[in-house]
Structures are given as structure tokens and as C-alpha cells.
Amino acid sequence: MSTNAENRIDPITASVLQRRVDAIAKEMATMLMRSSRSPIFNEIGDLVTVVFDKDGNTLAQAEFAAIIAFGAHPALEYIINYYGDDIHEGDVIVHNDVYHGGNQNADTGIFMPVFSAGQLVGWTAAKGHMADIGGMTAGGYDPNARDIWQEALRIPPVKVAEKGVFRRDVWDFIAANIRFDFVMEDIKSMIGCCTIGARRLGELIERYTLPVYENHMDYILESSARQVRAEVSRWADGHYYGESWMVSDGFDTTKRYKIACDIEIKGDEITFDFSASDDQAPGITNMPPASAKGAVRIAFLMLMASGDINIPTNQGLFEPIRTVFREGSVLNPRFPAATVFGNQMSDEVVECIMTALAGILPDRVSAGWNKYLCTSTNGVDPRTNEEFGTLTVFQRTGPGGVQGTDGWDALGFTGTAGQMRAPDPEMFELTSPHFLEYHEYLPDSAGAGEYRGGMGTRSAWVSYGENQHGVTLGDNVRAEGAVPAQGLFGGMDSGLNDMTVTFPDGTVHQWGSKEIIAMPPGTRVESLLGGGAGYGDAFKRPAEKVLAEVRDGILSAERARSDYGVVLTSDGTAVDTAQTAALRA
């Protein structure tokens, strides 16, 4: 029986516990990145680590890839319901199945129950993008896939350790279906970081006692929900509609898919209803509900972060949210549809939410982000004769501008919210058979505005892997007739993306947004990724800021004149104030 002292809430203790749990999640992530083998983990950080309470509510997370982090909760919900009372100290559960709570089959998770004095007190989890998880193509990305079995090995919840006993049969079964040996080493690292997290959480509970810990964590969740509800209640009640379009489904480059959202704000609750979105696609360009819910949470977090409140990322932050995804749509496909591209559709989900709410939250929304585009490459490294798999996520598009500030240059994908890292160029060359010629900001790529969009990037690299193939993952490719993301309140639209492949025989190919190609040794790729859209009238941007960007080489004098109405002196060192004033008038 708990005492009055244990039930009493001390705000200082609550703050200490919240920060300590957050530190546990971050320590888990650090350990995972430093002990893993794949550059997708240790260089890029395409992973998350999470601490949950015993009921599966998120308490803290290290969200390098936010779309995965917000996809961890639905998976654990399913695991808890699946096993019921059959959860024991020493269990280690692996899971990835998108039809049972997963967000992407490649994003495989390890879930570990935490016990204290024989009582279930919480969970630790690690999820990350595996370099391979079975299926018909190494790396898992293949636009030709028609169903989930062609994409990956489906792993519904299964215990690789039970009551502390290692299940060799389960481990060997999973390993037998994965091409790259180092993936299993990454899974070991995930188990290790969850073990450390469970140990730290147990020590914390032992220090403060379980009643004190649970009461204060419940208080933190309730406090977060209370603050969010108070903020949402200030937003104007009503229905608001926004839409976005995905170009190409991997089979038909002319195909367009609408992602539409009807948002209802009523009091302190907000509902995101995507029922008007198009029907599911025949291939990989479908988004599982867990991933779609994660994208909604990313957009909501952006809206909240623009305000004056500071709320830890826990379950309470999303307590007022309701989501609706029509079965049979691109955001909730019927089994056994392929879905591996779903995470990348975060861009469309975020865009239609921002478009819908621009009229009532002009100080919160972002102008259009140029949709992301990167590649997945796999093959054999001739230096070692070993298989490799990597993602070229150093390629970055630009986000949109917001009221009061420019878009962050080369931020990239909404699904990672700027937290997933670009690999070090030298490590990219060391860990995969590529030579990076250059990687830099793309001048004139940002949409003009009083607050311009973030710049995109230009890159070029040569591949010399053997038996290598590459797959593009993204959207807004100019050659496919994509439409730029919209500027807001007079800001100019975003840029578009161009990927040019030059094969060793001199043949040139414009790489599409969701296309797999063979890459013989000597294949060269040139990537031009556009920036984000602008916010506000570009003629209101201070002329001195425009001049500074011309001096820095990221804006041409011609675009300064045409987009911003800023005329420079003949030597380009100063603003011609008279001509600028006349032009802007």
C-alpha cells in the first residue's frame, strides 16, 4: 500500500525524473550508434530508442528518425495485446510487420519488458532501418514489388529470448532470410542498448521507489496533455481542408495520387481525417497507418514547436489527436499491399496539413517543403568482396520558410525533422564503393520570400560497386512533371529535383523518383535537389540580406533583381538604393 508521501507530487522530482528518463533514451541511442555495424545506423542515425511505461505509453525517445519513433508506439500496443500475460523478465521481442503495428518492414524493432522486484514497470525499445530485411531485392526497396512478401521478411511479434534464454531457432530463422551478416550484428546492438536502458530504468525506480516513479510519470503525461489541450483550444473551431499530390507510383510515372486531409478542431481536440485520399497503389507507394500516424504527429509537433510552450515528447503531447485513415486508401492499404515507400510519403501528409491550417495559424505553418529524394544502393564492394548497402541521405532538399525565419538550409526529409544525420563524405567513401566528387549548397534553389525557403543541394558521385543496383526514393522530380510545393502569403514556390545518370558507355538517363536501375562500375550520378518555398512577399526582404547572399555565392545577381527587386551596383558590392526603390515600388 502506498503512503501519502509516495502519492504526493513534487514538481521538482517530476522534472528530475522526466529528464532522467530522457537521458536514458539518449544513452541508448548513443550506445546503439557506437556499437552497430551498418553506416545506416552509425553514420546516418536512421534509428530511434524509446522508453515506455508498463502500458506502452511513450515517456521519452531519442528521435533521430522521427517517423520511426512515432511508429514505435503502435507496434508496442500490438505486442502488449498479442502476448497478454505472457510477458516475462528476460524476454526480448523482435517485430516489423506493417499489418500488425509496424511503420515499415525495413524499420525493425527490438522491444524489451522492464521488471522491478518481479513486477512489470516499463519497456525499452530500439528501432532502426535495416540494410536488408529479406524480400526479392537487397535493401528492400524495389518499385516492382506487388505485395508484402516480395518486399521483406514479415516478422510479427516473436521472442528471440524468452525468460532470459536465447532462442537460437528463432535467431537462425531470421538470419537465414537476411542477405547481409552485419544486419544481425546490428540487431545484437539493439538488444544491448535496450538492456542498458532497462538496467538504467531499474536503477532509477529502485532509487525513487515504484509508487513515486509511476505517480510522477503519470503526472508528467497528464501535464503534457493539459498544456497541449490548452493550446489547441486557442485555435479557431471549424473544418479545414488541405491536399498534396504524390507523383509516380513506380510503375506509371504519369500517375498522380492525392493525399487529402479534412481537419476538424472542436474545443481542445483535433481530428485529422484522410478519408478523401486516393485508393491504394498497386506497388510500394502505400503508407501503413502507423507511419501515417507518425507523419501526422510530426506535423503537429511542428505546429506546437512554433508556439511559446515547451513540452517533452511523450504520449501526452498527442493525447488530443484523433486520426482517420480509410481502409483501402494509400494511407491504409488492404493486405497484402506493398508499403516500403510509405515513410517517404510523410512529405505529402505534412504538406496537406500545413496547407489546411495556413489560414488560421499563419504564424505556425511552414511554406511548402521540396519533397525529399535520395537513393538506396546495394551490391558487392570490390575492395573486400563483401556485400554492402547504404543510403545517400547526404542529398538534401530544402524546407519552407516560416513567419519570422528562413527555412533551414538543406534540412531534407520531414520524416526525420532534420535529426537524421548526413554521413561524413569520407565515411561514405570508406564504407561503400563510391567516390564523392562534390557536395554543396545549390545556388538559387531557395524559393524567394520575406523569409526564404531553405536551400537544396547539388552532389555528384561515381559508383564502382559490382552487381550494384540503385533505387530512387522520393518525389518532385522535374522529368516526371512534378509541381513545386507552394509558397505562402506571397512567397515563391519551391524548387524541383533532377537526377542525371551517366553510364560507362556514355548513355545518359534522367532518373525518376521511384525507379530501380543497374549501376555498372563507373556509373556517375549528378543530383540537383531544389530548395523550399518562400513565406511572405519577397520584396519585403531586407535588401542588405539579399546582398549578403549574393556575396556568399548562394544567390545570383539576376535572381536578386527578378525575385527580390534588389538591384546591385555595377561591381556587385553594394545595393543600388535608388533603382531598388523604384523596382520595388
Side-chain angles (χ1 to χ4, degrees):
M1 180 179 295
S2 60
T3 66
N4 289 333
E6 290 172 334
N7 289 325
R8 191 184 308 119
I9 297 299
D10 174 25
I12 295 177
T13 300
S15 180
V16 170
L17 286 171
Q18 186 270 316
R19 284 164 171 75
R20 186 67 188 93
V21 172
D22 185 67
I24 291 172
K26 288 180 169 62
E27 181 183 2
M28 291 168 61
T30 300
M31 178 182 175
L32 178 54
M33 295 179 73
R34 291 183 177 178
S35 63
S36 54
R37 289 274 308 279
S38 170
I40 297 176
F41 275 36
N42 54 43
E43 274 294 303
I44 297 170
D46 195 353
L47 53 85
V48 297
T49 50
V50 193
V51 177
F52 300 93
D53 69 11
K54 64 182 179 183
D55 298 316
N57 295 307
T58 302
L59 300 180
Q61 58 191 33
E63 51 201 31
F64 285 90
I67 194 71
I68 307 179
F70 296 137
H73 171 251
L76 182 55
E77 274 188 317
Y78 182 80
I79 289 169
I80 290 173
N81 291 330
Y82 181 83
Y83 282 106
D85 294 333
D86 188 20
I87 295 291
H88 309 280
E89 189 167 6
D91 287 353
V92 178
I93 299 166
V94 60
H95 171 272
N96 77 347
D97 189 5
V98 298
Y99 287 100
H100 294 106
N103 65 289
Q104 185 189 62
N105 288 316
D107 294 338
T108 300
I110 292 293
F111 296 84
M112 182 177 295
V114 182
F115 284 77
S116 179
Q119 183 176 351
L120 178 66
V121 296
W123 294 78
T124 57
K127 288 192 73 173
H129 185 100
M130 300 300 168
D132 184 70
I133 198 67
M136 67 181 187
T137 301
Y141 287 105
D142 192 330
N144 296 309
R146 291 279 186 172
D147 58 48
I148 191 171
W149 297 293
Q150 292 180 316
E151 288 188 298
L153 172 68
R154 288 177 66 200
I155 309 175
V158 62
K159 296 180 181 181
V160 294
E162 188 169 13
K163 298 179 182 178
V165 178
F166 174 64
R167 291 288 306 273
R168 180 182 173 187
D169 54 347
V170 174
W171 183 266
D172 287 349
F173 170 76
I174 295 172
N177 286 277
I178 294 176
R179 294 171 176 83
F180 305 154
D181 292 340
F182 62 80
V183 169
M184 301 308 292
E185 300 302 315
D186 289 341
I187 294 177
K188 290 179 184 178
S189 295
M190 295 167 76
I191 295 172
C193 84
C194 287
T195 302
I196 290 295
R199 187 180 303 162
R200 297 286 187 265
L201 189 59
E203 293 168 351
L204 184 67
I205 291 171
E206 182 179 353
R207 177 177 178 179
Y208 284 89
T209 76
L210 181 59
V212 169
Y213 169 79
E214 290 187 333
N215 289 336
H216 282 78
M217 296 313 294
D218 287 344
Y219 166 79
I220 291 167
L221 295 181
E222 292 165 3
S223 174
S224 295
R226 198 163 51 247
Q227 291 182 73
V228 173
R229 286 188 178 277
E231 184 65 24
V232 173
S233 69
R234 298 186 185 100
W235 302 353
D237 284 3
H239 283 266
Y240 309 96
Y241 176 83
E243 61 184 36
S244 180
W245 294 84
M246 178 177 65
V247 179
S248 177
D249 59 11
F251 297 111
D252 182 355
T253 59
T254 67
K255 183 70 174 177
R256 303 290 188 271
Y257 289 86
K258 180 175 67 176
I259 289 80
C261 185
D262 179 76
I263 301 174
E264 181 186 21
I265 300 175
K266 188 175 182 180
D268 60 0
E269 294 194 344
I270 182 167
T271 299
F272 299 89
D273 188 343
F274 290 85
S275 298
S277 298
D278 280 347
D279 291 343
Q280 67 190 66
I284 67 174
T285 53
N286 296 298
M287 193 175 200
S291 182
K293 183 181 289 186
V296 170
R297 291 181 169 188
I298 288 169
F300 186 72
L301 195 60
M302 289 180 183
L303 296 170
M304 298 302 294
S306 299
D308 297 326
I309 59 175
N310 184 17
I311 304 174
T313 306
N314 58 39
Q315 202 68 32
L317 180 58
F318 307 109
E319 203 266 345
I321 293 178
R322 304 291 179 267
T323 52
V324 180
F325 307 109
R326 176 176 59 85
E327 185 179 5
S329 72
V330 289
L331 302 185
N332 185 8
R334 291 189 179 94
F335 179 81
T339 63
V340 72
F341 185 78
N343 280 358
Q344 275 70 25
M345 292 166 65
S346 173
D347 285 337
E348 285 82 1
V349 171
V350 172
E351 182 174 64
C352 66
I353 291 173
M354 294 293 173
T355 302
L357 297 178
I360 65 163
L361 298 174
D363 58 333
R364 301 293 186 90
V365 297
S366 164
W369 293 43
N370 181 26
K371 297 182 180 70
Y372 191 49
L373 184 68
C374 70
T375 73
S376 170
T377 66
N378 297 272
V380 176
D381 191 332
R383 299 169 297 182
T384 61
N385 289 322
E386 293 182 355
E387 293 180 298
F388 76 93
T390 192
L391 299 171
T392 62
V393 297
F394 53 81
Q395 299 169 260
R396 297 294 175 103
T397 52
V402 298
Q403 187 180 91
T405 188
D406 297 340
W408 196 299
D409 294 326
L411 191 66
F413 179 36
T414 58
T416 60
Q419 293 160 305
M420 194 168 76
R421 307 185 311 187
D424 179 272
E426 292 183 350
M427 290 303 297
F428 173 65
E429 294 178 333
L430 285 170
T431 58
S432 64
H434 297 96
F435 175 74
L436 187 62
E437 293 183 358
Y438 58 83
H439 173 60
E440 57 195 9
Y441 288 136
L442 177 60
D444 286 341
S445 59
E450 182 177 5
Y451 307 105
R452 66 165 175 81
M455 288 188 291
T457 57
R458 59 184 178 191
S459 316
W461 65 93
V462 177
S463 302
Y464 56 90
E466 298 172 352
N467 300 321
Q468 183 173 343
H469 73 265
V471 185
T472 40
L473 310 167
D475 211 324
N476 273 24
V477 170
R478 191 186 314 274
E480 294 177 338
V483 177
Q486 295 179 358
L488 286 180
F489 309 111
M492 295 187 179
D493 291 347
S494 76
L496 290 172
N497 301 323
D498 298 283
M499 294 276 286
T500 304
V501 182
T502 304
F503 294 105
D505 64 1
T507 304
V508 177
H509 173 68
Q510 292 301 317
W511 209 351
S513 61
K514 306 159 189 75
E515 181 184 9
I516 185 169
I517 61 172
M519 304 182 73
T523 299
R524 183 178 185 271
V525 180
E526 183 178 32
S527 166
L528 300 176
L529 301 190
Y535 183 109
D537 184 358
F539 276 27
K540 293 181 179 179
R541 188 171 179 84
E544 290 302 320
K545 275 192 174 182
V546 177
L547 172 63
E549 294 193 344
V550 174
R551 286 173 173 169
D552 291 342
I554 60 177
L555 180 69
S556 65
E558 293 75 20
R559 289 287 292 274
R561 182 185 185 106
S562 63
D563 293 356
Y564 293 97
V566 174
V567 183
L568 305 184
T569 56
S570 58
D571 60 3
T573 61
V575 176
D576 187 319
T577 54
Q579 289 197 52
T580 296
L583 184 57
R584 285 188 162 187

